[in-house]
Amino acid sequence: MIELIPAIDIIGGKCVRLTKGDYDQKTVYNDDPLQVARQFEALGFKRLHMVDLDGAKSKHVVNIDILRQITTETNLVVDFGGGIKSEEDILLAFNNGAAMVTIGSLAVTQPDLFIEWINRFGADRIILGADVRNGMISINGWKEDAEIALLPFLDDYVGHGIRYVLCTDISKDGTLSGPATKLYAEIMKRHPQIHLIASGGVSKTEDIKELERNGIPAVVFGKAFYEGRIDVKKLMNHE
């Protein structure tokens, strides 16, 4: 069974979704992220992917109070990302209840430090965020494209023990145009040992089933859920 991970993205304390990472294409879905998290828990979800978009933009963790609220008042296993640029940011997330942290930009700009963190905190607590646009890695809230191709980037970190990878196809994110299933299948064929979390483009229940049929271990979704396009009961009952 594919792992189902709903997402909460935060800007200004509110639950939002962007289109293709564009801060100017923002939809606010709820003013109370804790209420949304409680709803996910009530539906039977166990995991939550929380993204501090203010943090991603400002390059340091911002919405730590919301993380603490969610981890204190629900039993969701939360992975937290957005703006983690220092060891202090990691400890802040862990000390406020995050089970895992997702780190992308720093893994590109300071690979030695990222490897040090994998070794210090453990590969079970660090998720490599691989945000991709046209086959190339993108960083800093998707505002900059790095001159690094996705697959060699993953090869290197798998060699350093990384086990969890969150891969987002930016061209799909928030578009409801269907996930980049072919890309994710290619990654799994190359690295069958990793726990790949597919992100971006999920538009309906069938998209998730298609990812599952292609051997993708986990999926993150947001907009499709908020807009009522996913049949949660069907997914939970493995129908």
Side-chain angles (χ1 to χ4, degrees), residues 1-6 45 178-179 181 198 201-222 224-225 229-232 234-236:
M1 172 63 185
I2 192 168
E3 185 179 23
L4 304 169
I5 309 173
F45 293 110
T181 306
V202 170
S203 66
K204 55 186 183 291
T205 308
E206 180 54 34
D207 287 341
I208 295 174
K209 292 186 171 299
E210 178 69 12
L211 288 168
E212 185 172 37
R213 284 194 291 271
N214 279 272
I216 312 306
V219 59
V220 162
F221 49 86
F225 173 84
R229 292 166 169 261
I230 291 176
D231 187 334
V232 174
K234 203 172 195 177
L235 287 172
M236 293 294 192

Side-chain angles (χ1 to χ4, degrees), residues 49-183:
H49 175 60
M50 180 179 166
V51 183
D52 181 355
L53 289 172
D54 293 313
K57 203 170 188 179
S58 59
K59 301 185 182 180
H60 62 86
V61 171
V62 174
N63 288 292
I64 202 69
D65 291 346
I66 295 171
L67 170 64
R68 185 170 59 251
Q69 278 186 329
I70 290 173
T71 58
T72 302
E73 300 193 35
T74 76
N75 290 311
L76 292 167
V77 176
V78 180
D79 73 77
F80 179 84
I84 294 177
K85 304 293 184 187
S86 67
E87 188 172 302
E88 288 75 22
D89 287 325
I90 294 179
L91 292 172
L92 195 60
F94 286 156
N95 290 338
N96 283 277
M100 309 170 88
V101 290
T102 301
I103 301 171
S105 301
L106 189 134
V108 176
T109 59
Q110 298 184 60
D112 291 344
L113 180 58
F114 183 67
I115 291 164
E116 190 182 307
W117 287 349
I118 296 169
N119 294 332
R120 179 178 170 190
F121 296 105
D124 57 335
R125 300 201 78 185
I126 305 281
I127 300 173
L128 172 62
D131 300 329
V132 61
R133 180 162 35 211
N134 300 321
M136 306 298 283
I137 293 293
S138 187
I139 61 173
N140 292 329
W142 303 346
K143 295 191 293 297
E144 301 171 40
D145 289 334
E147 296 298 314
I148 301 172
L150 171 66
L151 292 175
F153 176 72
L154 295 181
D155 292 346
D156 189 35
Y157 280 123
V158 168
H160 282 99
I162 205 76
R163 292 204 299 267
Y164 292 90
V165 176
L166 173 74
C167 185
T168 304
D169 184 333
I170 297 166
S171 70
K172 299 277 190 179
D173 195 69
T175 64
L176 300 172
S177 60
T181 306
K182 187 178 176 184
L183 172 67

Side-chain angles (χ1 to χ4, degrees), residues 2-60:
I2 192 168
E3 185 179 23
L4 304 169
I5 309 173
I8 290 179
D9 293 359
I10 308 293
I11 291 180
K14 297 178 180 180
C15 180
V16 308
R17 293 302 283 176
L18 305 181
T19 299
K20 298 184 181 179
D22 185 349
Y23 283 72
D24 293 326
Q25 295 187 63
K26 176 182 74 179
T27 304
V28 177
Y29 284 105
N30 197 301
D31 290 345
D32 185 356
L34 176 59
Q35 183 186 62
V36 177
R38 283 175 168 153
Q39 181 186 7
F40 286 142
E41 185 175 38
L43 287 167
F45 293 110
K46 306 296 184 190
R47 279 280 304 274
L48 177 68
H49 175 60
M50 180 179 166
V51 183
D52 181 355
L53 289 172
D54 293 313
K57 203 170 188 179
S58 59
K59 301 185 182 180
H60 62 86

